[in-house]
Amino acid sequence: MKRTTRWTMLVWSAVLGVGLLASSVGLCSNEKSHTGQDFVRIEKITPRTGADLPTPVLVPFHLEVSSTLKSTARGKLRVGAFRLRPGGEGSGFEPLAPPLEKTVARGTRKLSLQTDPVSLKSVAEKNAQVVVVVNLRDEAGKELAWATSHNFLRGSLSVRAEKAPAVRDSLQVLSFFPKAGSLATGQAHAFTVNMRYSMSSGPWGFVNLELGERGLQAQTGPWYSVAVPVRSGTGLLRVTTRDFFLPAAYSNKQMELAVPFRIDPLGGTVDILRFGPWALTRPDVR
């Protein structure tokens, strides 16, 4: 079987396992072992699993991967990134960068990996996705285990780099819409955020837009998440999200927008800005 065909079948299996989910709440990577003793897991990944990636965008994927190899003395970890266009089987997958391979020995290992930056153009499809696949194989190329993560390509992004050098890591929100107040549930709402960034401590940082219940995001996570990569330097960002649907069950909750600026893609944040709140009300009582 050709190698590209094997990757296509793997991605199809992974995507069917994940499903086309509409929210980022509770999402984790999908994984499977073929042997019951060899395992691979995506412990951390940025952009986070299930987050929207607004386009057009240039983005590297940063992963912390753990592997357990018992059935053979040596194996290989292979990481690939694919553009998925739902449609005809096999025709909707596009490799985005050369696969990344690492040799691993018997036992348990943990690796930090980074793909080449991949360029993603604006899309019209509703459920267009990027799928990252981590494949554990023996030395003969037989697949032993796999794990996947996915992101939706939704929303729009405009980045304007500035000539001023970055002297520190900082993020400033210049404006956002809709303004804090009230929002009707049972409807969909898009958010637009204008920001200025300065990134000095590394080649890549990530700005997240996270919408969730006020005061509870640290415990329950966001309802919706958008990931925006930024390169070293300074510039302006304009992010417009997709339409986020606010169910009627969210009525009487307070929603906030958290904006963490992650300067270590797999580590902590330099700052977390918060905006809002928005009171979520039923349309008939506004």
Side-chain angles (χ1 to χ4, degrees), residues 103-283:
T103 299
V104 292
R106 190 193 305 271
T108 298
R109 301 285 184 271
K110 186 172 287 187
L111 297 173
S112 293
L113 304 169
Q114 178 184 333
T115 71
D116 289 341
V118 299
S119 179
L120 301 167
K121 298 179 180 179
S122 297
V123 297
E125 304 99 312
K126 261 190 173 181
N127 287 313
Q129 297 180 53
V130 174
V131 181
V132 174
V133 181
V134 182
N135 178 242
L136 178 62
R137 301 178 296 160
D138 64 18
E139 289 186 288
K142 181 181 178 181
E143 180 183 285
L144 305 173
W146 54 258
T148 69
S149 178
H150 72 284
N151 297 99
F152 292 101
L153 304 182
R154 297 189 287 211
S156 64
L157 172 65
S158 173
V159 181
R160 193 177 77 198
E162 297 181 328
K163 293 183 179 180
V167 295
R168 61 192 179 99
D169 301 309
S170 65
L171 182 72
Q172 178 185 7
V173 172
L174 303 176
S175 64
F176 59 91
F177 181 85
K179 296 293 186 182
S182 62
L183 291 176
T185 59
Q187 299 179 19
H189 303 271
F191 290 76
T192 296
V193 184
N194 292 291
M195 294 168 277
R196 171 173 280 115
Y197 70 89
S198 176
M199 179 70 190
S200 66
S201 62
W204 290 93
F206 285 83
V207 177
N208 281 9
L209 306 182
E210 299 178 350
L211 288 164
E213 188 167 2
R214 187 184 188 192
L216 294 180
Q217 290 206 49
Q219 290 77 35
T220 62
W223 297 334
Y224 306 103
S225 182
V226 179
V228 181
V230 294
R231 305 182 77 169
S232 178
T234 61
L236 298 172
L237 301 172
R238 180 180 177 87
V239 183
T240 298
T241 71
R242 64 179 168 100
D243 289 332
F244 292 126
F245 183 77
L246 300 176
Y250 287 5
S251 297
N252 300 319
K253 295 181 183 292
Q254 296 264 321
M255 184 178 72
E256 70 176 4
L257 170 65
V259 188
F261 183 25
R262 189 182 299 278
I263 58 170
D264 176 356
L266 294 177
T269 57
V270 66
D271 205 356
I272 302 179
L273 308 177
R274 299 184 185 276
F275 301 92
W278 289 268
L280 304 185
T281 63
R282 299 183 64 89

